Amino acid sequence: IIVLDRRNLSMATNIFVREYIDHYEPPQRATVHLSVKSTGLNREHVHAQVSDVLSEVRAQIESLHDKQEGPVTWFAVSGASTWSWKNDDGVEFSEAVRVKVKFCDFSRMGAWMNSVLALKEVSVWGIEWSVTEHRKKELETWLRQKVVRSAKDKAEQYASALGLHVSSVKTVADKGLLEKNTAGGASSAVIGRGRAGVGRGKESSDTYQFTPEDVRMSASIEAEFLAE
């Protein structure tokens, strides 16, 4: 988007630009979201079954957990729910517990998933691919600098087409702030989630053979430059 506004008093042209860039980064971490769930007509039996299976799953996770070396760098048992309903057989009960497990070794993750999914009470409902927090901050800084340089290059191209040159930058703002006449600081940077692909390699303990998509990160700004 470009808006040219020649002001008679300053004899300068205001050039407004909006710039957006994408970056795709190979994932360094994968968080498996799973649930341990049981359903039955006896509330106590349902609860005991979930508790027993959860203990087995937790034991497997803890045997792999090492915050620095992995393959599991973090995990959480973060939520539980129970509900009941009536049917022709009486009152049926259900209980579920959610677990999150973060891996830095995707092959070990696939082998572990193959193991826990052998338990009928366990189901996986998602995998979140990401980079480390340290790498994320590095990329956000780099993206913000890159999008500002790109915006300046665009403004210089517009100025050159008018026989002018960019003399200074007046405002750099997060997307949407410039339209509200509010000066901002650096660009906004957001991170997207990758999704998993499943390869069909030879059979092994890692039957999933994950081929994850890159993690998408983006940055966008609005800027106002002065050209003379």
Side-chain angles (χ1 to χ4, degrees):
I1 294 176
I2 176 172
V3 179
L4 302 181
D5 179 18
R6 183 173 291 278
R7 299 176 180 176
N8 294 327
L9 293 178
S10 64
M11 298 303 293
T13 297
N14 294 62
I15 300 179
F16 297 85
V17 299
R18 177 179 294 168
E19 186 66 327
Y20 175 91
I21 58 173
D22 272 333
H23 172 74
Y24 293 87
E25 182 79 5
Q28 298 170 298
R29 297 289 186 271
T31 302
V32 181
H33 298 252
L34 62 88
S35 63
V36 178
K37 178 181 176 182
S38 179
T39 300
L41 296 174
N42 185 293
R43 184 192 296 270
E44 288 74 20
H45 175 73
V46 167
H47 176 72
Q49 195 167 33
V50 169
S51 180
D52 290 345
V53 174
L54 181 61
S55 294
E56 183 175 347
V57 171
R58 182 189 284 272
Q60 290 189 33
I61 295 170
E62 289 177 344
S63 71
L64 300 172
H65 180 233
D66 186 305
K67 185 176 181 180
Q68 301 300 326
E69 302 297 329
V72 172
T73 61
W74 171 89
F75 72 94
V77 180
S78 57
S81 58
T82 61
W83 61 98
S84 62
W85 64 96
K86 290 184 177 181
N87 57 28
D88 294 339
D89 297 322
V91 179
E92 197 160 5
F93 303 94
S94 188
E95 181 173 332
V97 177
R98 290 189 175 184
V99 181
K100 299 178 183 179
V101 189
K102 183 177 290 187
F103 282 83
C104 63
D105 185 325
F106 303 155
S107 177
R108 296 285 296 279
M109 177 184 73
W112 172 79
M113 287 176 58
N114 187 54
S115 175
V116 295
L117 287 175
L119 304 169
K120 67 178 183 178
E121 293 84 5
V122 176
S123 59
V124 172
W125 52 274
I127 300 176
E128 179 184 351
W129 304 91
S130 62
V131 294
T132 64
E133 286 299 314
H134 176 73
R135 182 57 177 158
K136 179 182 176 182
K137 291 178 180 178
E138 287 182 338
L139 289 170
E140 286 175 342
T141 298
W142 174 71
L143 280 168
R144 287 168 177 149
Q145 294 172 346
K146 184 177 180 179
V147 77
V148 168
R149 289 192 294 266
S150 183
K152 186 174 184 291
D153 290 343
K154 181 185 288 187
E156 288 177 339
Q157 292 170 11
Y158 290 136
S160 177
L162 296 169
L164 305 172
H165 69 277
V166 172
S167 57
S168 63
V169 57
K170 186 176 180 181
T171 305
V172 177
D174 285 343
K175 182 179 177 182
L177 292 181
L178 192 57
E179 295 175 350
K180 300 175 183 178
N181 297 317
T182 304
S187 67
S188 61
V190 297
I191 185 169
R193 297 178 180 178
R195 292 177 296 175
V198 181
R200 296 189 179 276
K202 62 181 181 180
E203 194 73 17
S204 69
S205 59
D206 176 11
T207 59
Y208 287 94
Q209 299 284 312
F210 286 112
T211 307
E213 292 184 9
D214 290 342
V215 176
R216 182 182 68 84
M217 297 190 68
S218 62
S220 59
I221 63 164
E222 294 171 346
E224 180 183 2
F225 297 88
L226 298 180
E228 299 177 349

